[in-house]
Amino acid sequence: MFSRHDKKIFFIYSGLALLFIYPLIQAGIYYRDDLDRSITGVYGWRGLGRPVADILARIFSASGHYNLDLFPYTMLASCIFLGASSLALSKCLIKSDIPNANLVAALLIFNPFILQNIAYRYDSLGMSIAFFLAVIAYTYKNKNLTIEIATKLIAGVLSLTLYQPCANIFIGLLAIDVMIIATKKEMKVKESITFLFKKTILFVSFFLIYMLFFSPKNNSRAELIHLDQGGMEHLAKTLIALKKMVLSYLHHPVYIYFAIPILISCVFMLVAYRTNIKHIASFILYAAFSFLIFIISLMGPTLLLQDAPVLPRTLVSFSVILVIIAIPIMHFAPRFKYAALIPVIASLAFSAQLSNAMKSQQEYEDFVFNMIAQDIATHKDIASIGTVGQLNKNERTRLLIDNKPLIGYFVSPATQFLASFQLVNKGLPQTRHGYTDVDESKNQFANMINKGIKPVSSNQYYSLFIEDNAAIIYLGKINN
């Protein structure tokens, strides 16, 4: 099934994926929900419409009722599935006669936003498999049409049951095919429309199957916007938030790394079609349509949700833009093929900078929570501990975020949810859950302030308030 050449390319792709995410492996942090799972051992994905994610974790962790930590194997396995995704794309590009198809397909790996998916040490394996399955749902070919369609539908549905946003890479791959059409002189409009229609029907089909059989009935996150003025305003706000997040990555000087290969493509396209205005117009039209589909792929159907997840981990198709930029370079300017790799420099740099920021912030927070634990240990009979407020960013993290704004979407200084599990891990099991009990902690803190209770200790990092056998920790510097 796989030739010796395929195995070699797969090994190279997996190595590139490892190179890309290695800084996260080296950082070795517990990221957001990881803090919860590392202490409670909960699975918890089934209720979010991801039942196969629960099953997968049970199988690979070999730990039964508790979801036990498999780091770093989860991240290493993610490299394999990212590599397999690029291999599937390369075989598709080769069939479309794209020059240097193996080089172009490798670009699918270098998505700066997918680093948030990888950062979740408990989620990363399921998410990377979901990504791979969505790619298979698009690229799989078989001489038997029935087997091909059935395989694509099963792969698409399984992708959704692992992590719904990963299915959006299917739409992203459609944008790649439209760019391929843009470079083909012989492609007719009718054929293009038929091709797009078939892919759309396939995507809608496996999405509907998922909605009928696997989507949870009472998931508040799945509520759609209303088709009225309020709904349209909500959609506009989501689009603005999406634009802001994407542009935060293209912050100076990163946009230059994208501008250079785009400029090369445009110049050589104009030279190639200098005697035929019709071909220039056709290329621009298809290229614009490809870019539009790419924009749609960034969030896909989740764009229409009331609680639209405008988060880095949902933009699994962002690296598609690297492939779209590379295709015309390979077609019009093959001698400049390595110019397509210029945006990868920014992706690799971002991976290192993000990991350094996350690790630096974790070390800072670990220092603060050690102080808090020692402080509380001096007070006997504390039966409950609540947290309010938020820790600051440390200076190293702040410098990185100021110059790479997208990092700010990844790094979350400790608040109630994140702080509570860090305190439990410091040996304070009486700490209230910072997610479900947040209002109770806030109300108790407000009552203490109204009563004029002063902190028993206070510094630039936190203030500790105690009333009877209850303690409230205000994170950050309190304003007197």
Side-chain angles (χ1 to χ4, degrees):
M1 185 177 180
F2 292 101
S3 66
R4 191 172 183 178
H5 176 72
D6 287 341
K7 293 176 182 178
K8 178 182 178 181
I9 294 299
F10 170 62
F11 180 78
I12 292 173
Y13 286 156
S14 298
L16 290 173
L18 177 59
L19 175 68
F20 182 48
I21 73 171
Y22 175 73
L24 284 176
I25 297 176
Q26 186 182 43
I29 68 167
Y30 284 92
Y31 185 63
R32 295 186 62 83
D33 293 355
D34 292 341
L35 291 167
D36 183 349
R37 292 192 171 95
S38 65
I39 292 173
T40 64
V42 299
Y43 291 92
W45 294 298
R46 184 179 297 275
L48 300 175
R50 299 159 59 187
V52 177
D54 273 7
I55 296 171
L56 204 66
R58 287 180 185 273
I59 293 172
F60 284 108
S61 67
S63 52
H65 296 298
Y66 292 97
N67 188 6
L68 303 183
D69 194 358
L70 280 176
F71 175 84
Y73 290 125
T74 48
M75 290 189 182
L76 292 174
S78 296
C79 297
I80 294 174
F81 285 100
L82 289 178
S85 300
S86 283
L87 178 62
L89 176 60
S90 71
K91 296 173 82 68
C92 189
L93 294 177
I94 289 170
K95 290 178 180 179
S96 298
D97 298 321
I98 299 300
N100 304 301
N102 290 329
L103 176 62
V104 174
L107 298 173
L108 191 66
I109 294 169
F110 299 101
N111 179 358
F113 294 90
I114 209 171
L115 290 171
Q116 188 174 61
N117 304 72
I118 302 299
Y120 288 94
R121 56 170 67 193
Y122 287 87
D123 298 63
S124 57
L125 179 57
M127 288 178 174
S128 59
I129 294 176
F131 184 85
F132 168 70
L133 288 170
V135 172
I136 291 299
Y138 190 95
T139 62
Y140 180 75
K141 297 291 182 183
N142 194 291
K143 293 179 180 179
N144 188 317
L145 185 60
T146 301
I147 294 177
E148 179 180 325
I149 294 175
T151 301
K152 288 182 173 181
L153 288 174
I154 292 171
V157 172
L158 286 175
S159 175
L160 289 167
T161 59
L162 283 165
Y163 187 57
Q164 298 92 332
C166 279
N168 293 335
I169 189 60
F170 185 100
I171 305 173
L173 295 176
L174 182 59
I176 291 174
D177 267 332
V178 173
M179 178 53 77
I180 293 173
I181 292 172
T183 63
K184 305 293 184 183
K185 296 180 181 179
E186 68 278 6
M187 186 64 73
K188 296 180 180 179
V189 174
K190 185 178 179 180
E191 294 173 343
S192 303
I193 293 174
T194 301
F195 173 80
L196 293 171
F197 179 75
K198 288 180 179 179
K199 292 295 185 181
T200 302
I201 290 298
L202 177 61
F203 181 80
V204 171
S205 296
F206 68 70
F207 213 97
L208 287 176
I209 293 172
Y210 167 78
M211 294 294 291
L212 287 171
F213 296 101
F214 298 100
S215 180
K217 307 305 179 190
N218 299 313
N219 186 359
S220 59
R221 296 185 182 182
E223 185 178 352
L224 297 173
I225 62 173
H226 301 292
L227 297 177
D228 53 21
Q229 184 177 353
M232 294 303 102
E233 291 175 354
H234 189 88
L235 177 61
K237 289 180 180 178
T238 300
L239 288 170
I240 292 171
L242 175 62
K243 175 185 174 184
K244 182 180 178 181
M245 185 169 67
V246 172
L247 292 181
S248 70
Y249 174 65
L250 299 176
H251 186 72
H252 181 80
V254 174
Y255 73 88
I256 298 174
Y257 292 76
F258 287 79
I260 292 173
I262 291 174
L263 181 61
I264 291 173
S265 295
C266 292
V267 169
F268 281 89
M269 182 274 294
L270 292 173
V271 171
Y273 293 155
R274 60 186 179 278
T275 59
N276 195 323
I277 300 298
K278 182 179 178 181
H279 283 160
I280 294 176
S282 176
F283 176 83
I284 293 174
L285 179 63
Y286 276 109
F289 188 45
S290 173
F291 183 72
L292 176 61
I293 296 175
F294 161 71
I295 294 297
I296 294 172
S297 78
L298 292 177
M299 291 192 65
T302 61
L303 187 68
L304 302 177
L305 296 177
Q306 287 275 10
D307 187 20
V310 186
L311 302 164
R313 64 179 178 270
T314 63
L315 271 61
V316 297
S317 66
F318 182 81
S319 55
V320 162
I321 193 64
L322 277 68
V323 180
I324 290 175
I325 291 171
I327 289 172
I329 291 180
M330 302 306 170
H331 183 78
F332 297 113
R335 291 184 178 180
F336 292 85
K337 62 182 180 181
Y338 293 115
L341 299 178
I342 294 176
V344 173
I345 299 172
S347 293
L348 289 172
F350 181 81
S351 178
Q353 292 152 356
L354 170 65
S355 301
N356 288 331
M358 293 168 71
K359 184 175 182 180
S360 180
Q361 184 66 21
Q362 185 189 57
E363 290 173 346
Y364 166 73
E365 293 182 3
D366 197 48
F367 160 73
V368 174
F369 286 110
N370 279 335
M371 291 175 59
I372 294 173
Q374 291 175 7
D375 200 349
I376 291 179
T378 62
H379 300 274
K380 306 299 182 182
D381 302 322
I382 298 295
S384 69
I385 302 170
T387 60
V388 295
Q390 183 181 50
L391 283 183
N392 300 319
K393 302 180 185 73
N394 79 325
E395 294 306 312
R396 292 175 183 171
T397 302
R398 192 187 307 279
L399 175 65
L400 287 163
I401 291 175
D402 288 345
N403 290 276
K404 299 288 182 180
L406 179 59
I407 293 177
Y409 287 86
F410 288 75
V411 177
S412 304
T415 55
Q416 289 86 1
F417 169 64
L418 300 176
S420 62
F421 289 106
Q422 296 206 50
L423 287 172
V424 171
N425 193 51
K426 297 298 180 184
L428 300 171
Q430 68 269 45
T431 305
R432 294 196 195 105
H433 195 297
Y435 186 75
T436 57
D437 301 327
V438 59
D439 289 335
E440 182 180 354
S441 295
K442 287 181 177 179
N443 292 335
Q444 189 173 27
F445 176 67
N447 289 333
M448 288 181 176
I449 296 299
N450 290 335
K451 292 178 181 179
I453 295 176
K454 299 296 182 181
V456 296
S457 61
S458 182
N459 52 54
Q460 61 179 318
Y461 308 110
Y462 70 93
S463 297
L464 175 61
F465 293 79
I466 295 178
E467 182 182 17
D468 298 327
N469 61 348
I472 293 292
I473 300 162
Y474 183 92
L475 300 171
K477 188 174 182 179
I478 192 167
N479 296 319
N480 295 323

